[in-house]
Amino acid sequence: TVEVIVTAIPADVSEGRFVVASLEDGSNAEIRNSELIFNADGEAKFEIKALAAESFKVSFDVADSTLSAETVVAVNSIGTAAVDDPDVVEVTDIKINQSSAVLLIGNTLELSANVLPSDATNKNIIWTSSKKSVATVDSNGVVTPVSKGNVWIIATSEDGGFNAICNVTVKRREFTVTWNVDGTKTSERYEEGAIINKPSNPSKKGYTFIGWSPEVPSVMPSKDIEFVANFREIEVDPTVRISILP
């Protein structure tokens, strides 16, 4: 087999898109993983399995792509296109344990993937993130959120380059704000770090509102919090006299 790298320009336009590769009719070869995925560098990889040293014309089908219509792949070294070793069991597909997930900032997500068939010779899996600014993934499939957004976590078989995807939505954690006015409570939900909007100053007959306790921070902390309205009684001057005229 020979590995081919296809580059799309500009890279940010093609990131995360699928592209389907196909060989011209009559080629004495096959593409092992025809559905490709562009990575963050604007590259998509695939393997051609050949029975003899020759050149192949490869066509690509992808929506709104800046890829050229075709390219020529040369298998030009003796032995590169040798007949497969009968003792090697090739990978034919890859499966991931979940296709979508919601991940809160501060938590992690552990994904797993398996190649098929189960007795494949090379079971190695490569994990990548389509947007490292949103979430990263380590070599064991553990996803760590970075910022709010959507990201593809891609499991790729080392043998054959087959892909499986988990679409991860990263969100900020939410907490509850409770406003307590003389025992009457109202609650709101805020994302961690969001700006807290204070309600209008409450009123109480015979009293003046003097603020909330504790003091309301500018942004939502990483916990539920209750604010109690504080009032001060309006004092009446005892020296004031009211005269009633006849």
mmCIF file of all heavy atoms in Angstrom, residues 55 67 94 114 159 164 205 218 241:
data_model
loop_
_atom_site.group_PDB
_atom_site.id
_atom_site.type_symbol
_atom_site.label_atom_id
_atom_site.label_comp_id
_atom_site.label_asym_id
_atom_site.label_seq_id
_atom_site.Cartn_x
_atom_site.Cartn_y
_atom_site.Cartn_z
ATOM 1 N N SER A 55 0.828 3.860 -11.924
ATOM 2 C CA SER A 55 0.265 5.138 -11.522
ATOM 3 C C SER A 55 -1.254 5.070 -11.611
ATOM 4 O O SER A 55 -1.810 4.395 -12.478
ATOM 5 C CB SER A 55 0.787 6.263 -12.425
ATOM 6 O OG SER A 55 2.165 6.446 -12.247
ATOM 7 N N LEU A 67 -10.364 21.803 -3.744
ATOM 8 C CA LEU A 67 -9.477 20.763 -4.245
ATOM 9 C C LEU A 67 -9.489 20.737 -5.764
ATOM 10 O O LEU A 67 -10.511 20.997 -6.392
ATOM 11 C CB LEU A 67 -9.938 19.386 -3.748
ATOM 12 C CG LEU A 67 -9.616 19.012 -2.310
ATOM 13 C CD1 LEU A 67 -10.294 17.706 -1.987
ATOM 14 C CD2 LEU A 67 -8.125 18.888 -2.110
ATOM 15 N N ILE A 94 -13.815 0.955 11.728
ATOM 16 C CA ILE A 94 -13.562 1.355 13.113
ATOM 17 C C ILE A 94 -14.871 1.870 13.705
ATOM 18 O O ILE A 94 -15.670 2.504 13.000
ATOM 19 C CB ILE A 94 -12.460 2.434 13.198
ATOM 20 C CG1 ILE A 94 -12.108 2.755 14.664
ATOM 21 C CG2 ILE A 94 -12.857 3.694 12.446
ATOM 22 C CD1 ILE A 94 -10.906 3.653 14.825
ATOM 23 N N ASN A 114 -12.856 0.803 18.683
ATOM 24 C CA ASN A 114 -12.338 -0.516 18.353
ATOM 25 C C ASN A 114 -12.302 -0.698 16.849
ATOM 26 O O ASN A 114 -13.212 -0.243 16.140
ATOM 27 C CB ASN A 114 -13.215 -1.619 18.964
ATOM 28 C CG ASN A 114 -13.213 -1.599 20.473
ATOM 29 O OD1 ASN A 114 -12.203 -1.890 21.097
ATOM 30 N ND2 ASN A 114 -14.340 -1.246 21.057
ATOM 31 N N ASP A 159 -3.916 1.383 10.758
ATOM 32 C CA ASP A 159 -3.951 0.557 9.555
ATOM 33 C C ASP A 159 -5.171 0.930 8.725
ATOM 34 O O ASP A 159 -6.309 0.754 9.164
ATOM 35 C CB ASP A 159 -4.002 -0.925 9.940
ATOM 36 C CG ASP A 159 -4.149 -1.835 8.724
ATOM 37 O OD1 ASP A 159 -3.722 -1.427 7.629
ATOM 38 O OD2 ASP A 159 -4.700 -2.940 8.880
ATOM 39 N N ALA A 164 -13.768 7.256 12.726
ATOM 40 C CA ALA A 164 -15.029 7.280 13.473
ATOM 41 C C ALA A 164 -15.046 8.583 14.263
ATOM 42 O O ALA A 164 -14.011 9.025 14.778
ATOM 43 C CB ALA A 164 -15.151 6.085 14.405
ATOM 44 N N LYS A 205 -42.944 48.334 52.620
ATOM 45 C CA LYS A 205 -43.600 49.476 53.264
ATOM 46 C C LYS A 205 -42.946 49.791 54.607
ATOM 47 O O LYS A 205 -42.774 48.910 55.454
ATOM 48 C CB LYS A 205 -45.083 49.177 53.463
ATOM 49 C CG LYS A 205 -45.878 50.374 53.968
ATOM 50 C CD LYS A 205 -47.361 50.059 54.027
ATOM 51 C CE LYS A 205 -48.173 51.264 54.479
ATOM 52 N NZ LYS A 205 -49.622 50.974 54.535
ATOM 53 N N SER A 218 -19.795 40.646 39.904
ATOM 54 C CA SER A 218 -20.071 41.050 38.524
ATOM 55 C C SER A 218 -20.358 39.843 37.630
ATOM 56 O O SER A 218 -21.139 39.947 36.681
ATOM 57 C CB SER A 218 -18.896 41.852 37.957
ATOM 58 O OG SER A 218 -17.699 41.088 38.021
ATOM 59 N N ARG A 241 -44.982 67.798 64.766
ATOM 60 C CA ARG A 241 -46.357 67.925 65.236
ATOM 61 C C ARG A 241 -47.266 68.276 64.068
ATOM 62 O O ARG A 241 -46.899 69.012 63.155
ATOM 63 C CB ARG A 241 -46.476 69.013 66.281
ATOM 64 C CG ARG A 241 -45.722 68.671 67.596
ATOM 65 C CD ARG A 241 -45.916 69.735 68.624
ATOM 66 N NE ARG A 241 -45.199 69.413 69.872
ATOM 67 C CZ ARG A 241 -45.194 70.223 70.954
ATOM 68 N NH1 ARG A 241 -45.888 71.361 70.947
ATOM 69 N NH2 ARG A 241 -44.530 69.851 72.031
#
